[in-house]
Amino acid sequence: RQGKNLILITGISGSGKSYTSLVMAAGMAGIETRKDGTPKILAIDSENRSLADYGQNADGSWPVVPFDTIHLDPEYTVAKYLKAFKKTLDGGYEVVIIDSITHAWAGQGGILDQKGRVDARGGNSFSNWRAVDPDFNRFKDMILNSPIHLIATARSKADYSVDDRGRPQKIGMAPIFR
């Protein structure tokens, strides 16, 4: 059976996540376009149209690989990501790039934002997760059950732990995502 790649690329802003995802997608789908001339790769871009830096040049050439793009603007709801992913499947693409999943988690309208709105109405902060977990689970299922190659990017931030004396210690970088 031919397996499909599910890849997560993390890094700080400007570290090359978008470029790396395009290079990897080119390796998975091949640099050529489909027989009808359309790209084999679709990118879902929530990074303020940053993938446009790698878009088609005025002379018709591509800096990395031909790809189509769906731009997501706030609110970054799971429903928007799911709708864009469905367009990827309906369009017959071989690879989807989600640049970035961080917005679905921590962006305006993302899971944490929705949880904050539920918390503002009151109740137990822990049990309030029940209101947003179904959305998060649909997002995870979309990724884990992808029938095509999927490359996702996530922003990273410094990660800390507390030592034996109660002091925070930097332990490296962690994706901004659950």
Side-chain angles (χ1 to χ4, degrees), residues 72-89:
L72 297 184
D73 295 311
E75 303 233 324
Y76 298 107
T77 63
V78 167
K80 278 188 175 180
Y81 280 87
L82 293 173
K83 183 177 178 182
F85 186 72
K86 183 175 181 338
K87 287 182 181 179
T88 304
L89 299 179

Side-chain angles (χ1 to χ4, degrees), residues 79-164:
K80 278 188 175 180
Y81 280 87
L82 293 173
K83 183 177 178 182
F85 186 72
K86 183 175 181 338
K87 287 182 181 179
T88 304
L89 299 179
D90 292 346
Y93 293 93
E94 295 180 24
V95 182
V96 62
I97 297 169
I98 305 174
D99 188 26
S100 141
I101 62 171
T102 297
H103 296 91
W105 178 251
Q108 180 185 340
I111 299 293
L112 291 182
D113 192 30
Q114 292 175 30
K115 166 77 166 53
R117 293 174 195 174
V118 173
D119 286 346
R121 294 193 304 251
N124 179 300
S125 178
F126 182 76
S127 62
N128 284 347
W129 277 105
R130 280 184 296 184
V132 295
D133 266 344
D135 257 2
F136 182 69
N137 290 334
R138 279 190 289 278
F139 190 80
K140 280 191 318 187
D141 289 345
M142 173 192 76
I143 292 171
L144 295 175
N145 297 314
S146 175
I148 62 173
H149 300 297
L150 185 145
I151 302 170
T153 68
R155 293 181 184 179
S156 292
K157 64 177 180 171
D159 195 20
Y160 296 86
S161 70
V162 178
D163 67 14
D164 295 339

